[in-house]
Amino acid sequence: MRDIRKLPASAGAQWLLDTFTLYRRAPLQLAVLGIIGMLVSSLIAIVSQALPGWLSLLGQLLSVAVGPILFGGMLWAVSEIDQGHRAQPAHLLQPIRDRRVSHLLVPLAIQMVTILALGALLFLMIGSDGLNAIGEATRNLQVLQQSGTAPSNEQVLAVFDPVPVKRVLLWIALVCAVFVALSMAMFTQPALVMFDRQSGMHALRMSLQGCIENFGAMTVFMLLGLVAMLCIYFLVAILMQIALLIGGAAAATALMQLVVTTVIMPLYVGAVYASWKQMFAHRTRGNPPPVPPSNGPNNIFAA
C-alpha cells in the first residue's frame, strides 16, 4: 500500500469545507486553547526579556520553540473533536507526553539553517561590494523620497545602477523556490509526526512529496483559502475600525491578535488535519505503536 494517495484537484476544496466543519463543532473549545497558547507564549517572552545575558537568549529560543509544540497539541485537540470528543487544555501537552517535541522542532532547525545558507549564498553571488551597493542605493532612494518630489525613472535607475540587479533577482527567485518547497514540506509535517509517528526529517520529506503529487489539490486549496482569508480580513478590518474608535490603537491591536489566536490559527490547524487525513494512508492512527528509544531507528533525523 502506498503511503501517499493521489487525489483529484477538487480535494483541495473538500479540505477547506472540512476545516470549517471541524471549527463549527467546537469554536469555543478551540478559542480557549488558542488563548492559552497565546498567554503561554507571551509569558515566556516577557520573562525572557527580564532575564540577564544568556538566560534571556535561552528564554527567547524557548519562546520560539513553544510554537511548534502548541501547534502539535492543537492538532491533537482537532483530532479529538473529529472523533466526537471534547478539546481539553491538556491536549496542548500531548507532544510532550508522546515524546514528539524533538520531531516537531526539526522544521524550525531546517528554517534556521536555510536562512543562514541563503544569506551565505547572497554574499557569494554579489560579494561585499554588492551588499554595500544595495545599502547605498537604499539610503539614496530614501533621500529622494524625502525630498518632497516624486523621483523620475532616470533618478531611480541611477540610484540602482551600481547594484548587480540580475544576480539579486536570481537570488530572489531562488529564495521564492526554497520558500515554496519549505512550505510544502512543513504543511502536513506536524500531523505526520503526531499521528503517524514519523521522524521529523522523514515527515518533512513525506509532506513535500505528498504536496507535489497532489499539487492540483494544493493549488485549489490555496486559492480558495486565500479568498476565505480575504473575507475574514474584511470583517476583521471593520471590527478593528470600531475598536480603534472606541479604545484606540491598543484595542485594535488586541482584537487583531485575538482573532488570529481564536479563529485563524485553529482554522489553519484544521486545514492541516483535513489534508493529512486524505493525502496519506494511515497505518498506525487507530493504535499508535510505543515510542522506541531515542537512539533507535526513530531518531529525529532518520529518513
Side-chain angles (χ1 to χ4, degrees):
M1 181 176 65
R2 293 187 74 249
D3 292 327
I4 300 174
R5 296 175 178 146
K6 180 64 177 178
L7 304 173
S10 59
Q14 187 63 48
W15 299 346
L16 196 61
L17 291 175
D18 292 345
T19 298
F20 283 98
T21 299
L22 284 170
Y23 184 79
R24 283 198 302 267
R25 287 187 188 178
L28 292 180
Q29 297 173 31
L30 292 174
V32 169
L33 295 186
I35 292 174
I36 292 175
M38 179 185 67
L39 292 176
V40 170
S41 300
S42 300
L43 180 61
I44 295 176
I46 293 173
V47 171
S48 64
Q49 291 177 358
L51 295 175
W54 61 272
L55 290 176
S56 177
L57 178 60
L58 288 178
Q60 293 174 13
L61 292 175
L62 179 61
S63 66
V64 174
V66 163
I69 300 173
L70 293 175
F71 193 93
M74 286 283 288
L75 271 171
W76 194 269
V78 168
S79 74
E80 291 293 318
I81 293 173
D82 185 41
Q83 298 173 59
H85 306 145
R86 287 183 58 84
Q88 303 288 344
H91 291 151
L92 295 176
L93 300 177
Q94 194 67 36
I96 299 176
R97 286 194 290 267
D98 288 349
R99 294 193 291 176
R100 300 278 88 195
V101 173
S102 58
H103 301 277
L104 290 172
L105 294 180
V106 168
L108 192 61
I110 297 298
Q111 289 181 67
M112 296 176 63
V113 172
T114 301
I115 291 173
L116 293 175
L118 289 173
L121 178 62
L122 177 62
F123 183 80
L124 291 174
M125 291 177 67
I126 66 176
S128 59
D129 293 339
L131 293 175
N132 293 333
I134 293 175
E136 185 67 23
T138 302
R139 289 189 293 270
N140 292 337
L141 187 61
Q142 290 176 347
V143 171
L144 286 176
Q145 292 174 341
Q146 294 171 359
S147 62
T149 59
S152 63
N153 292 334
E154 290 76 11
Q155 289 176 312
V156 174
L157 291 175
V159 166
F160 285 97
D161 185 63
V163 177
V165 176
K166 292 183 179 180
R167 280 175 285 172
V168 172
L169 291 176
L170 176 59
W171 180 80
I172 293 175
L174 291 173
V175 169
C176 292
V178 171
F179 173 78
V180 171
L182 276 179
S183 299
M184 291 192 295
M186 294 168 56
F187 183 53
T188 57
Q189 193 266 359
L192 290 166
V193 166
M194 289 297 301
F195 303 127
D196 291 338
R197 322 293 288 186
Q198 294 186 5
S199 67
M201 286 296 292
H202 184 69
L204 279 174
R205 183 180 66 81
M206 289 294 295
S207 178
L208 176 60
Q209 185 178 349
C211 290
I212 291 175
E213 292 193 18
N214 293 283
F215 190 75
M218 284 294 299
T219 302
V220 171
F221 170 74
M222 293 301 295
L223 291 176
L224 294 179
L226 179 60
V227 173
M229 289 305 300
L230 288 176
C231 294
I232 294 175
Y233 178 79
F234 178 74
L235 295 176
V236 173
I238 296 175
L239 295 176
M240 286 183 65
Q241 289 299 319
I242 298 174
L244 187 62
L245 294 174
I246 297 176
T253 303
L255 176 63
M256 183 63 187
Q257 188 173 13
L258 187 64
V259 170
V260 170
T261 303
T262 60
V263 179
I264 296 178
M265 179 55 70
L267 285 176
Y268 180 72
V269 173
V272 171
Y273 177 78
S275 59
W276 162 80
K277 278 188 67 177
Q278 289 193 10
M279 196 182 300
F280 299 95
H282 315 296
R283 306 180 184 181
T284 61
R285 180 67 181 103
N287 185 23
V291 180
S294 59
N295 59 350
N298 199 35
N299 182 276
I300 63 174
F301 291 105

